[in-house]
Amino acid sequence: MAHRRGLARSAYEAVVHRLDCAQGALSQQLATDREALRMLADPEKAVTCAICRPEAVLGHLFD
């Protein structure tokens, strides 16, 4: 599953969205699951979208 990396205008470098999230529809950058996890590992770089909650579906990588 790919995730959108929507650039945020905040203290964060990016906001990670699921592909089907309307909030990330304007973003042209795509990330793989592993890339999204790497970005989210550093809370100063990226955060997850509070609407689509991509972290909920990224958990399958730990199974």
Side-chain angles (χ1 to χ4, degrees):
M1 170 179 288
H3 299 273
R4 292 193 187 278
R5 294 187 295 178
L7 297 180
R9 293 183 185 192
S10 68
Y12 305 105
E13 197 173 294
V15 176
V16 178
H17 299 273
R18 290 175 53 175
L19 279 176
D20 58 351
C21 180
Q23 295 294 316
L26 298 177
S27 176
Q28 298 299 316
Q29 298 177 317
L30 296 178
T32 65
D33 289 348
R34 293 194 189 281
E35 290 169 333
L37 279 175
R38 272 189 236 120
M39 288 182 359
L40 293 172
D42 184 351
E44 291 183 9
K45 281 193 165 189
V47 294
T48 58
C49 173
I51 295 170
C52 67
R53 299 189 55 232
E55 75 279 8
V57 297
L58 288 170
H60 77 279
L61 293 176
F62 298 106
D63 294 338

